[in-house]
Amino acid sequence: MTYAPRPPTAVNFNLAEEPYIPPAGPAVSFDLATGDSGPPPIVYPIPPGIMVTSALSIELTSSAPVSSAGVDYSMKPAQRTVRRALRSAMASRQLDGRAPQQWGKVAVKDESIDDGVQPWGTAGRKDPRQVGSGWDRVPIKDDDRGGPDQAWDGSIKPIDQRAGQGYNVPALKDVADRHPQADSARYWEWPQVESFDGYVVGSSDFDLTASPYNIPGAAVVDFNLEPSTNFVEIIIPTRPLFSGRDLQGWTTNKPADVRYRQPWDDKPRKGTEVDFDYDQQPPLPGDPPDEPKIKRAYIIMNSSSLIATAENMPLEFSGLTIELDVDSFAWKMSCSILNRQSLDLIRPTAQGPAEVVATVNGHQWRFIVERYSLDKRFARERWRVTGVSRPQLLANPYAPRRTGRIEQPTNMALAMANQLEFTGFTVMLQDGLYDYVIPAGAWGYENKTAMEVVSELAAAVGAVVIPDRTDDILHINHRYKQTPPWYYPGVAESDLDAVIQDSMVIGYSSQWEPQPEYNYVFVSGITDGVSTEVIRQGSAGDQPAPDIYDELNVEVQQCRLRGITALSAGGNQEIVTVETILPTSGSPGLIVPAMLVEYRDARDLSATWRGNVLGVSINVSKPGASRVIQSVKVERHHY
């Protein structure tokens, strides 16, 4: 019978579960030629053996007349229609494009012309072998993504391209390490085990190569491991700063505890930074001043002398006064010489002025005798002698005047040291005093002595020059301890320089000297530097002090300290003069300008106050065990 296919949806050959097995026997017949029933059989026709193609072509000769003129012939309308149709067909098959046709002047577009310009436009044929196309936009030649590649761009490469040669070492810095776990492999170190002189924890292997093992006693084994225990802390390394996960970054990181370093590294690994002390850090808390001992009576054995250094001979004197104020750079001395023999020991010579050493209760001063005057009366001669300490040699009239300018960046301490070169003097900055940097060419001096230059450099940071008593050292201290007076009540006792107990006070006097209460000052450079507004914290800044313009105003911190000095000088204040003792040791000690002192009232603690020392004067009546009084002038502020 004839095979009748079923609809496509009814046939399902699912070979995933089990193989397909055809049915047994001739149950299906694919004979399509015969059949008892169903559609008629398909009959295929026999193709012909010979095929003939015919065509008709009509061509009008060129001798045919177009009109009846001169020839007894006239065309009919139907003939004219056929002629026009044949002529149009001939024109459409015309391949000679050089001769323009009657219906247009357009040349063949793919025609090759030597000059590269077509008659119907300014565009030529786009050929890669030509120099350029009139309608093509030439892209930037060093841009590899700005446009399509041109045929003539093969000789120029992008400017940031680098040949990938095998011998290019080292690689580019902005290329990350392609090896996995590069950070762990580079920075990991095996943790060290705890060792006990050959004994390893958790192991039964005793290393006896260092020394033989001796049994301490009969049938007694004593492994004493405590005395020589060496415990090593295990430190797990970390990744460098700013680096990706498991990748070695090329930034400014320096591994501190590995053997491999990059040449551009300059920072330690995270967790391994070390803080170093340097001169710009805040000073460490100092030792507090000696606490005064409160007694009903103080017994002091004074001693004083004045010796000529050349002959090492004592001088007969009276009324010795030694003083220094905050605006002076040298100690001053004045006394009366009682006889001619003592005066001959301190007369000036060809080598220069004479020097003397004054000693009061163990405190020494070294002076240069500058001048003396004679006071002669009947049966009495007395000479009044004045002298200064050695830093006066750096000023007029002893030191020459010079002119110069900073030619390279220099800090304050170095600029001062350059001024004191070959003089034997040195400078010493107060602990924590800011050492600012002067840019090259920003500051200079003209016709000034070395001391004038040093004082100018110190004043730029709000500091003063405090001379040493015996050595050739200039101490540069801030006038107000780098702390405004309105903060003095909160200053720690360890930051105080001296304590004056009221029971040790011989005399007390004060003078009210109010000043304008400034809370704002403008500090600015001139040609270089910065402009800074210094405002008292908590104030409105509506009481400006005179502006401070100086070439040395070069840094913010330096301008801040200079502004503190300007604002601290104003406000309600009184100048207190306290006369006290000068012991060899203990409180109150020798007090010098720019110190922060505390006047302590034992009966009323609320009357205790603090102030800044403006000057000191030591008075000695005569040599030996005579009376010694230390007079201190203190600037006390009221807020």
Side-chain angles (χ1 to χ4, degrees), residues 53-300:
T53 303
S54 61
L56 177 63
S57 176
I58 302 175
E59 183 176 358
L60 184 64
T61 61
S62 59
S63 61
V66 297
S67 64
S68 61
V71 180
D72 189 11
Y73 177 78
S74 62
M75 298 180 63
K76 296 181 180 181
Q79 294 175 343
R80 293 189 181 95
T81 302
V82 172
R83 183 184 181 90
R84 285 195 296 271
L86 293 176
R87 182 173 296 175
S88 299
M90 292 171 59
S92 63
R93 294 194 302 269
Q94 181 69 26
L95 299 178
D96 188 4
R98 289 181 172 83
Q101 305 300 328
Q102 295 181 359
W103 64 84
K105 303 292 185 181
V106 181
V108 180
K109 292 184 179 182
D110 57 355
E111 179 183 8
S112 176
I113 300 178
D114 296 337
D115 55 2
V117 179
Q118 302 295 342
W120 47 269
T122 60
R125 180 163 56 106
K126 189 174 182 180
D127 190 347
R129 293 172 295 176
Q130 294 182 357
V131 177
S133 299
W135 58 83
D136 288 341
R137 179 182 64 84
V138 180
I140 301 174
K141 292 185 177 183
D142 58 355
D143 185 6
D144 55 351
R145 292 178 296 180
D149 295 336
Q150 304 296 333
W152 55 85
D153 287 341
S155 61
I156 299 179
K157 299 297 182 182
I159 59 177
D160 56 352
Q161 182 177 359
R162 177 173 177 174
Q165 303 295 338
Y167 45 81
N168 289 140
V169 177
L172 299 178
K173 293 183 179 180
D174 56 353
V175 177
D177 195 345
R178 292 174 297 177
H179 298 284
Q181 304 295 330
D183 180 62
S184 300
R186 177 169 299 167
Y187 296 109
W188 176 253
E189 293 182 357
W190 287 101
Q192 301 181 17
V193 299
E194 303 175 12
S195 61
F196 302 94
D197 291 345
Y199 170 72
V200 180
V201 178
S203 175
S204 59
D205 184 11
F206 295 93
D207 186 7
L208 305 178
T209 58
S211 61
Y213 175 72
N214 298 322
I215 300 177
V220 177
V221 180
D222 182 13
F223 295 95
N224 189 3
L225 305 179
E226 293 183 359
S228 59
T229 300
N230 182 20
F231 179 76
V232 180
E233 182 182 1
I234 300 176
I235 301 177
I236 300 176
T238 59
R239 295 186 179 93
L241 296 172
F242 312 123
S243 65
R245 182 169 63 92
D246 287 335
L247 291 177
Q248 169 63 31
W250 57 272
T251 54
T252 58
N253 303 309
K254 179 185 297 181
D257 54 356
V258 294
R259 291 177 294 272
Y260 183 80
R261 289 177 54 189
Q262 300 290 350
W264 53 85
D265 291 336
D266 63 1
K267 284 187 178 179
R269 284 174 36 189
K270 180 184 290 185
T272 62
E273 297 85 352
V274 180
D275 294 331
F276 297 95
D277 293 335
Y278 59 100
D279 55 355
Q280 302 293 357
Q281 281 188 335
L284 298 176
D287 297 331
D290 296 331
E291 283 291 328
K293 297 179 180 180
I294 303 177
K295 299 180 180 180
R296 298 184 60 180
Y298 296 91
I299 301 177
I300 299 176

Side-chain angles (χ1 to χ4, degrees), residues 26 146 162 216 239 277 290 303 319 335 351 376 437 463 483 605 622 638:
R162 177 173 177 174
R239 295 186 179 93
D277 293 335
D290 296 331
S303 63
C335 67
Q351 286 74 25
K376 188 174 183 180
V437 178
T483 303
L605 295 179
K622 58 183 180 180
H638 297 267

Side-chain angles (χ1 to χ4, degrees), residues 324-344:
L324 176 68
D325 61 80
V326 72
D327 295 318
S328 299
F329 52 84
W331 289 87
K332 295 180 181 180
M333 181 270 297
S334 63
C335 67
S336 296
I337 299 300
L338 302 180
N339 52 57
R340 188 180 295 270
Q341 292 77 10
S342 296
L343 180 64
D344 292 341

Side-chain angles (χ1 to χ4, degrees), residues 6 14 20 46 51 89 171 226 313 331 339 348 354 360 400 405-406 416 447 485 531 552-553 609 613:
R6 297 180 181 179
N14 187 2
Y20 173 76
I46 300 174
M51 298 181 66
E226 293 183 359
M313 294 293 292
W331 289 87
N339 52 57
V360 180
R405 196 163 193 86
I406 299 297
M416 292 180 178
N447 196 27
S531 298
L552 289 174
N553 296 332
W609 53 271
V613 178

Side-chain angles (χ1 to χ4, degrees), residues 300-304 359-365 581-585 624 626 628:
I300 299 176
M301 299 297 294
N302 296 321
S303 63
S304 59
T359 304
V360 180
N361 290 349
H363 305 281
Q364 287 188 349
W365 288 264
I581 60 176
L582 180 60
T584 57
S585 62
S626 62
V628 177

